[in-house]
Amino acid sequence: MSTLLRHSAWNFNHCLAGQRHGRRFLSTAAINTNSSITSSTTQSPSPSLVLSLASHTAPSSSQDDQTLRKVFDSQSFWQDFSQRHASLHRSHPRGLFQNRHLTNPGGFQVFASDTLGQARKLVAKITSASTVQEYRSLVRMMDRLSDLLCRVIDVADFVRAVHPDRRMQDAASKAHALMFEYMNVLNTTTALNDQLKKAMSMPEVVASWTQEEKVVADILRKDFSKSAIDLPSTARQRFVHLSNQISRVGQSFVEGMAAERPYLAFRSSKLKGLDPLLARQLTQWGRVTLPSTGSTATTALRSVEDEVTRKEIYLASRTATKAQIRRLEELVTLRAQLAEVSGYESFAQMTLSDKMARSPQSVDRFLEALAGGNRSRLKAELDDLTRLKESRVGPGAAPLQAWDKDFYTSRQMALARPKSRSPDFISAYFSLGTVMQGLSRVFHRLYGVRFVPREPGAGESWNDDVRRLDVVDEAEGHIAVVYCDLFERPWKNPNPAHYTLRCSRRISEEELRESVEDGVNAEQAEDAVTNGMASARHPNGELYQLPTIALICDFARGPSNRPTLLSYREVQTLFHEMGHAVHSMLGRTTLQNVSGTRCATDFAELPSVLMEHFLAAPEVLGLFARHWETDAPLPYQLVRDKMETDQRFAGTETEGQIVLAMLDQRYHSALPLSSGFDSTAIYRDVYDRYGSLREPVGTSWHGFFGHLYGYGATYYSYLFDRAIASKVWTDVFQRREGGALDREAGSLFREEVLRWGGGRDGWECIAGVLGRDDLAQGNGAAMAEVGKWGVKGSNTGII
């Protein structure tokens, strides 16, 4: 773990904390519920059958609003728009993201070297601090040091994952490695930690700090402590060794997922119910060779009629190789040893100490309360499946089994799905341009900010299809930049994600003076200190580097005569990612360590999950959802029907996630240090205790639980944030009719949650927005209370 960068494990799709956020829904194949359940949000009643189109824009923003739709829906309009100042851009080219260094692959080396030079000067200044005045500036200097390193690492991490040019990827990887090598030096040097501790021990210094500075100081202190900086040399060396081992074994675990029986062979007659075309593709000489994992096995479990065949597929799909189980046990044992060296009882205790949960015991209280509230719904769902099995098999049918659940869930969903419309009928009302227009209108109604399309400069984007949006606040002006890379292309990663390329931070006048002293023209000082990337003066005159964000999706293009049309699930994905983006936009703190999404892991998903709820509100859909050809508004009954179908087995989905979260906690307890540690026995015990259907003897699905590496001890987080989001939606945005667009509700959420980024304890944010002072301390009782709120919607998991 890197201390100053606060880059801890997050998604994937896996991400750097506060940097990359990917959509996280666990496919039901991974949790023993291979149903066809898709996304859903809380249903909002509507008395009308057709949504009325609301008034949405002020006259001054009307042109921007119409342009926003066109740049996404019309390729010819986008080409004209993006080239309207092409001659000027060619004569004054800017680098990638306007970074003056990144005009070519070689610029990454210059960018990294220049940053290292600035960082070394700053480290010397920090370590030589000796006066009270110098110590008063210490936290800001350390935050600036963190920002310098993040500037390179965040951009490099994005470029090596997304940029289509292999040369740029390679250059980014080298810059990334160079910066991490330097950070490893910093994190094993005690001088920074010693100076921080000295500053925090001086009352006159601490009294001069802002609340934000105090929070960042505490964050850095904890991060230094977790990196074993205070341990004796021998223990610190063991910490480093264990950390390296965890990285090696963890990657092997993620990459080594495989079934003990990779393929199964059946007579074609045994696979009745499987899509005939798929069956023919798998058949040779009258025998079907079926992969035991992946989408084909999932489809078979949902559709094959023969129960004996389904059982064989189920057992094979959930039995990992013995080598993979050994990797898992080595991984969790190494983590337990790392925690022990660091003075913690368990890896979970070590990991959760700075999260909202704070302890493994509190996580258990949350999950137990959530499970208790889910039981009645779960029982009703399983009773329905049992009755369906009995009606199909006849009297004397065996009880519902684990290998039955996906098959009968699929049958039940098919019965519930309206037959009068094709599955993609609703997509006609969701062109990409109207959805982006709708998001801008929602944000303007709630928070007073809107999207303004801007043509990118030469070299500013990594692909011609990338749209640049400037985020404009009605009171503060330009506050952020969002790059939207939303269309599919060859070799592009299909996983949706939100990247923070640069965080908000106030740039001091001292930094500008230093730039001039280094030979930069005073008129170019602002450009120099930001590397040319977006910045703006706050109305109070203070200079800020602006949050710079990239949103990645993989939407299929429509025919040349039609805009890109999105499924309901894809619209929900876009709303989710924009929830992360609005956190980055509005969490404009003075220090980058707590900017936007740089907050506790179990708090970071709240804004994004909450955004999903807005898509179900009639008043929100009324802002934008209309037919791409006729401009007719969306009949809300279509949305209501879809949500009811998608939530049909939400209780089953929730149970699956609770089981995995419980398993994650057990594996990251002190159990791996006990003699005779057996991960399979723990797996069976957790499933038998918390699952409704017993797991068959002999399976070892935990070998496929790849998120144990990236989400060690924090897998509960998504369920936790879904529960909070459901409560905020109900109590804040649905307390009055039309509340989903209520500026008062939006201002409350912005002031109590979004604007703080990670600069305020998450429990205080929740207490403030809900008016619940009893939650502010965030103890075990508060965790249990959140569990009682329950989760709404079927997308309760992580992928």
Side-chain angles (χ1 to χ4, degrees), residues 15 31 141 189 350 374-375 475 563 605 637 662 676 710 743 795:
C15 35
I31 59 170
M141 286 193 290
T189 303
M350 176 178 170
N374 190 55
R375 285 193 185 102
E605 289 292 334
Q637 188 62 40
M662 287 290 194
R743 175 62 71 89
N795 291 326

Side-chain angles (χ1 to χ4, degrees), residues 370-639:
L370 185 61
N374 190 55
R375 285 193 185 102
S376 60
R377 178 167 189 166
L378 175 65
K379 183 180 183 302
E381 292 173 4
L382 295 179
D383 286 347
D384 284 348
L385 296 182
T386 298
R387 283 190 291 270
L388 186 59
K389 180 176 182 179
E390 290 172 348
S391 69
R392 183 177 184 278
V393 177
L400 191 73
Q401 302 293 332
W403 51 84
D404 290 328
K405 186 163 62 173
D406 297 325
F407 177 76
Y408 288 106
T409 295
S410 180
R411 289 290 188 273
Q412 189 73 55
M413 296 283 282
L415 291 172
R417 193 171 292 119
K419 302 294 192 300
S420 59
R421 307 283 190 183
S422 62
D424 61 350
F425 181 82
I426 200 170
S427 297
Y429 295 88
F430 291 133
S431 76
L432 177 57
T434 58
V435 174
M436 293 299 296
Q437 194 178 49
L439 283 161
S440 181
R441 293 171 178 178
V442 170
F443 291 154
H444 187 258
R445 290 287 191 91
L446 293 176
Y447 309 124
V449 301
R450 58 188 176 90
F451 295 146
V452 177
R454 176 175 172 180
E455 68 274 21
E460 184 178 347
S461 70
W462 54 99
N463 188 274
D464 291 341
D465 276 341
V466 176
R467 274 64 163 165
R468 171 178 168 165
L469 304 178
D470 284 355
V471 184
V472 178
D473 184 281
E474 61 189 18
E476 299 180 21
H478 189 199
I479 63 169
V481 175
V482 182
Y483 293 98
C484 298
D485 184 0
L486 305 182
F487 298 104
E488 66 178 0
R489 60 176 176 270
W491 315 116
K492 183 180 180 182
N493 189 321
N495 293 315
H498 158 277
Y499 289 81
T500 301
L501 304 170
R502 181 159 293 184
C503 288
S504 169
R505 186 178 69 88
R506 189 176 69 200
I507 297 172
S508 68
E509 293 302 316
E510 181 182 2
E511 292 174 58
L512 296 174
R513 287 195 299 271
E514 289 175 359
S515 180
V516 173
E517 290 169 2
D518 288 339
V520 175
N521 186 294
E523 295 179 356
Q524 299 174 330
E526 290 186 11
D527 191 66
V529 298
T530 60
N531 313 117
M533 292 180 66
S535 63
R537 291 277 177 180
H538 190 274
N540 65 11
E542 294 176 334
L543 179 65
Y544 278 75
Q545 61 187 36
L546 298 186
T548 302
I549 301 151
L551 289 185
I552 310 298
C553 289
D554 195 47
F555 300 142
R557 287 187 177 281
S560 58
N561 64 341
R562 194 190 76 184
T564 292
L565 302 179
L566 305 183
S567 68
Y568 189 86
R569 177 66 177 269
E570 288 173 327
V571 179
Q572 191 178 43
T573 293
L574 194 51
F575 267 61
H576 179 100
E577 299 305 333
M578 274 297 182
H580 286 306
V582 80
H583 201 182
S584 295
M585 297 171 204
L586 301 183
R588 294 177 63 234
T589 53
T590 62
L591 301 178
Q592 73 89 33
N593 261 285
V594 291
S595 171
T597 55
R598 292 186 190 265
C599 56
T601 305
D602 51 4
F603 189 64
E605 289 292 334
L606 172 59
S608 57
V609 172
L610 180 65
M611 273 304 300
E612 296 176 35
H613 287 269
F614 284 89
L615 182 56
E619 61 267 36
V620 171
L621 289 165
L623 289 178
F624 70 95
R626 51 193 180 274
H627 198 281
W628 72 275
E629 281 187 303
T630 67
D631 212 41
L634 171 68
Y636 187 69
Q637 188 62 40
L638 294 179
V639 178

Side-chain angles (χ1 to χ4, degrees), residues 157-472:
D157 183 69
F158 172 83
V159 168
R160 62 182 187 167
V162 176
H163 202 288
D165 189 333
R166 172 62 68 178
R167 296 171 303 165
M168 288 293 284
Q169 292 176 21
D170 291 343
S173 293
K174 291 176 183 177
H176 194 277
L178 184 65
M179 301 309 292
F180 260 101
E181 181 180 355
Y182 179 65
M183 282 189 35
N184 285 335
V185 173
L186 292 182
N187 289 339
T188 55
T189 303
T190 60
L192 294 175
N193 182 47
D194 292 342
Q195 287 288 74
L196 178 62
K197 288 197 294 185
K198 186 169 183 179
M200 295 180 75
S201 70
M202 301 169 69
E204 64 271 40
V205 169
V206 175
S208 71
W209 288 346
T210 64
Q211 182 61 31
E212 199 172 295
E213 288 174 306
K214 292 174 183 177
V215 170
V216 170
D218 193 54
I219 288 170
L220 294 175
R221 178 187 61 80
K222 290 177 180 177
D223 284 349
F224 273 123
S225 177
K226 284 188 176 183
S227 67
I229 200 77
D230 292 321
L231 296 179
S233 177
T234 302
R236 191 160 64 245
Q237 290 174 8
R238 177 161 170 72
F239 180 95
V240 172
H241 173 73
L242 287 169
S243 298
N244 291 335
Q245 288 289 94
I246 289 168
S247 178
R248 178 187 62 79
V249 175
Q251 289 294 335
S252 296
F253 175 68
V254 171
E255 296 167 3
M257 289 184 283
E260 188 73 18
R261 296 177 62 193
Y263 294 94
L264 303 171
F266 300 100
R267 294 194 308 274
S268 56
S269 60
K270 290 289 186 181
L271 294 175
K272 182 182 178 182
L274 187 66
D275 178 12
L277 179 60
L278 178 58
R280 281 196 296 272
Q281 292 173 346
L282 301 172
T283 302
Q284 188 173 23
W285 309 111
R287 301 282 290 179
V288 178
T289 302
L290 186 79
S292 60
T293 58
S295 60
T296 301
T298 299
T299 300
L301 284 169
R302 293 174 180 171
S303 58
V304 170
E305 296 179 6
D306 183 63
E307 183 174 342
V308 174
T309 301
R310 289 201 309 274
K311 179 179 179 180
E312 187 172 350
I313 297 170
Y314 182 89
L315 292 174
S317 70
R318 296 181 66 83
T319 305
T321 63
K322 294 179 175 60
Q324 179 70 347
I325 300 305
R326 288 194 294 270
R327 293 186 194 102
L328 183 153
E329 292 179 350
E330 184 180 5
L331 171 64
V332 297
T333 300
L334 287 168
R335 280 177 163 170
Q337 292 171 349
L338 184 78
E340 186 178 47
V341 168
S342 304
Y344 293 90
E345 293 180 4
S346 66
F347 185 79
Q349 184 195 50
M350 176 178 170
T351 300
L352 298 172
S353 61
D354 59 353
K355 306 298 186 291
M356 286 182 70
R358 298 178 184 168
S359 74
Q361 294 77 20
S362 291
V363 174
D364 285 348
R365 291 189 66 175
F366 162 69
L367 293 172
E368 292 281 4
L370 185 61
N374 190 55
R375 285 193 185 102
S376 60
R377 178 167 189 166
L378 175 65
K379 183 180 183 302
E381 292 173 4
L382 295 179
D383 286 347
D384 284 348
L385 296 182
T386 298
R387 283 190 291 270
L388 186 59
K389 180 176 182 179
E390 290 172 348
S391 69
R392 183 177 184 278
V393 177
L400 191 73
Q401 302 293 332
W403 51 84
D404 290 328
K405 186 163 62 173
D406 297 325
F407 177 76
Y408 288 106
T409 295
S410 180
R411 289 290 188 273
Q412 189 73 55
M413 296 283 282
L415 291 172
R417 193 171 292 119
K419 302 294 192 300
S420 59
R421 307 283 190 183
S422 62
D424 61 350
F425 181 82
I426 200 170
S427 297
Y429 295 88
F430 291 133
S431 76
L432 177 57
T434 58
V435 174
M436 293 299 296
Q437 194 178 49
L439 283 161
S440 181
R441 293 171 178 178
V442 170
F443 291 154
H444 187 258
R445 290 287 191 91
L446 293 176
Y447 309 124
V449 301
R450 58 188 176 90
F451 295 146
V452 177
R454 176 175 172 180
E455 68 274 21
E460 184 178 347
S461 70
W462 54 99
N463 188 274
D464 291 341
D465 276 341
V466 176
R467 274 64 163 165
R468 171 178 168 165
L469 304 178
D470 284 355
V471 184
V472 178

Side-chain angles (χ1 to χ4, degrees), residues 63-79:
Q63 183 176 352
D64 292 333
D65 183 72
Q66 294 304 314
T67 300
L68 180 61
R69 177 179 180 178
K70 292 177 182 178
V71 297
F72 287 98
D73 274 357
S74 171
Q75 185 64 19
S76 60
F77 182 90
W78 165 246
Q79 289 173 346

Side-chain angles (χ1 to χ4, degrees), residues 4 114-129 134 137-151 182 186 191-192 195 220 505-506 508 510-511 514 518 591-593:
L4 288 173
D114 182 64
T115 299
L116 283 176
Q118 295 180 62
R120 291 187 178 108
K121 289 182 180 178
L122 195 52
V123 168
K125 190 173 182 179
I126 292 169
T127 55
S128 64
E134 288 171 334
S137 302
L138 195 82
V139 171
R140 290 194 174 274
M141 286 193 290
M142 294 183 78
D143 184 77
R144 181 184 171 193
L145 175 60
S146 175
D147 180 58
L148 283 171
L149 303 179
C150 284
R151 287 182 178 191
Y182 179 65
L186 292 182
L192 294 175
Q195 287 288 74
L220 294 175
R505 186 178 69 88
R506 189 176 69 200
S508 68
E510 181 182 2
E511 292 174 58
E514 289 175 359
D518 288 339
L591 301 178
Q592 73 89 33
N593 261 285

